[in-house]
Amino acid sequence: EQQRALAIRHAMGAADVGRLAECWYTILRNFRQSATHLVVECLKVIGAFVGWIEVSTVANDRFLGAICELVSEAGPAAGQACECFGAVVERSMPLPAKIAMLEQLRILKRVQDCVHE
C-alpha cells in the first residue's frame, strides 16, 4: 500500500492534487442535496488521499467548513463526513506540526460547532 501511494504521489504533481481538491470541493458544495451518493464517495476519496497529500490541501477553513456542514445536516453523508474529518485529525505527522495545525484550525471549536448547529 505504501509503495503504491508513493508511486501515485510521484506521478502526480502538486498542481494535479490542487485540481483534484477543487473537484472534491465542488462536489461537496454543489451535490450535497441532489447526489448524496456522489458526496459520500467523494468523502471516501478525500479520506483516502489525506494520508499522503499535503494536508493543508483539505485541512483548511474552506474544506473543513463544508465537511462540518455535512455533519451538522445529519443527512446521508454525515457519517462519511465524520470519517473524513477524523482522517484529517488522525493524519500522521510530527507532533509539534500536528498541534500547530489543530490549533490553527480551531479543531475543538469546529467539532462543537458541527454538533450544535
Side-chain angles (χ1 to χ4, degrees):
E1 179 70 24
Q2 263 185 336
Q3 286 179 336
R4 188 182 87 189
L6 188 59
I8 293 171
R9 186 181 323 178
H10 286 299
M12 294 179 70
D16 295 327
V17 173
R19 284 191 291 274
L20 268 176
E22 284 305 311
C23 291
W24 297 336
Y25 185 77
T26 299
I27 290 168
L28 295 181
R29 299 304 296 173
N30 296 342
F31 296 98
R32 59 196 306 151
Q33 301 299 321
S34 62
T36 55
H37 63 285
L38 179 61
V39 172
V40 168
E41 293 303 316
C42 180
L43 289 163
K44 288 178 185 177
V45 169
I46 294 169
F49 271 65
V50 162
W52 61 270
I53 62 173
E54 171 58 44
V55 71
S56 63
T57 305
V58 294
N60 56 56
D61 286 333
R62 187 171 84 138
F63 259 94
L64 292 181
I67 291 169
C68 281
E69 285 177 19
L70 291 166
V71 172
S72 297
E73 290 171 3
Q80 195 60 49
C82 287
E83 294 289 327
C84 188
F85 191 87
V88 171
V89 172
E90 292 173 357
R91 162 74 187 254
S92 178
M93 55 194 308
L95 188 57
K98 184 175 229 170
I99 290 170
M101 178 188 79
L102 296 176
E103 286 176 344
Q104 176 197 4
L105 294 171
R106 302 172 323 276
I107 289 295
L108 294 177
K109 176 158 180 19
R110 194 175 297 275
V111 169
Q112 268 186 325
D113 291 347
C114 283
V115 175
H116 292 96
E117 283 187 0

